[in-house]
Amino acid sequence: MAVAQGGRKAFVVGGTGETGKVLLQELLKRNTFQRLVSISRRKVEYQDESYNKLEQTVVDFDKLESDHSEAFQGFDVGFCLLGTTKGKAGAGEVEEECKKLDFEKLSIFRPGVLLMKDGRQEQRFGEKMAIFVLKPISWACPTFITTPVETVAGAMVNCTVSPTDNKVETLEIADIFKMAEEKK
């Protein structure tokens, strides 16, 4: 288990989603940060005592700039897991806007179709059909079009502790698998 690095602090936006839940578990298990805050619309009641170290900040995402900008101040690392489909999000546009924010380091993850161990809590019919078709493909070619949420979360954590000369890095499916395998 890694020990919190030099008092570093991190926030997670999207910690109630499928990948976000796994990321929070991984961050708490590894003890990577001295302070870990989940920023979300509502407070979550966690039963597991490993979440005792997690702080929660509730915000109105429609009023971030006017009412809640301080919620994002004083952190060394931010994880944003507000996922959606490429069609809905205009993914390329979001990535370009993030690049303009001139972060010290920006890691963009493109995991393809996300796979959950027990299935997604809110699964759409199209997703069910896609997963039915893609599961055998992902078994035969694991880095072709799908990525398990555990792999994405592991890669995200490893990425925060990996030195790099790249100010902006984009991790495609194969890169995510490779980053997740690195032991930190």
Side-chain angles (χ1 to χ4, degrees), residues 77-98:
V77 175
F79 297 94
C80 181
L81 296 102
L82 299 177
T84 186
T85 62
K86 283 185 181 180
K88 282 186 180 178
E93 294 171 29
V94 173
E95 291 174 6
E96 291 307 312
E97 290 300 316
C98 286

Side-chain angles (χ1 to χ4, degrees), residues 117-143:
K117 275 185 184 173
D118 301 322
R120 186 183 187 105
Q121 281 185 350
E122 301 173 13
Q123 203 166 45
R124 298 168 213 118
F125 177 74
E127 280 181 335
K128 285 182 184 178
M129 293 304 297
I131 289 170
F132 178 77
V133 171
L134 293 174
K135 270 220 168 161
I137 295 170
S138 69
W139 180 80
C141 304
T143 61

Side-chain angles (χ1 to χ4, degrees), residues 90-107:
E93 294 171 29
V94 173
E95 291 174 6
E96 291 307 312
E97 290 300 316
C98 286
K99 290 175 186 176
K100 290 177 188 175
L101 295 173
D102 198 34
F103 290 109
E104 185 177 310
K105 178 181 176 184
L106 174 64
S107 301

Side-chain angles (χ1 to χ4, degrees), residues 15-16 21 24 38 44-49 51-52 54 56:
T16 58
K21 287 186 243 179
L24 285 175
S38 176
V44 177
E45 297 298 326
Y46 294 103
Q47 304 303 317
D48 190 319
E49 67 181 45
Y51 287 89
N52 291 348
L54 178 68
Q56 295 187 62

Side-chain angles (χ1 to χ4, degrees), residues 16 36-40 42-46 51 54-58:
T16 58
L36 181 61
V37 180
S38 176
I39 300 174
S40 61
R42 59 183 168 80
K43 187 171 182 182
V44 177
E45 297 298 326
Y46 294 103
Y51 287 89
L54 178 68
E55 297 176 37
Q56 295 187 62
T57 300
V58 177

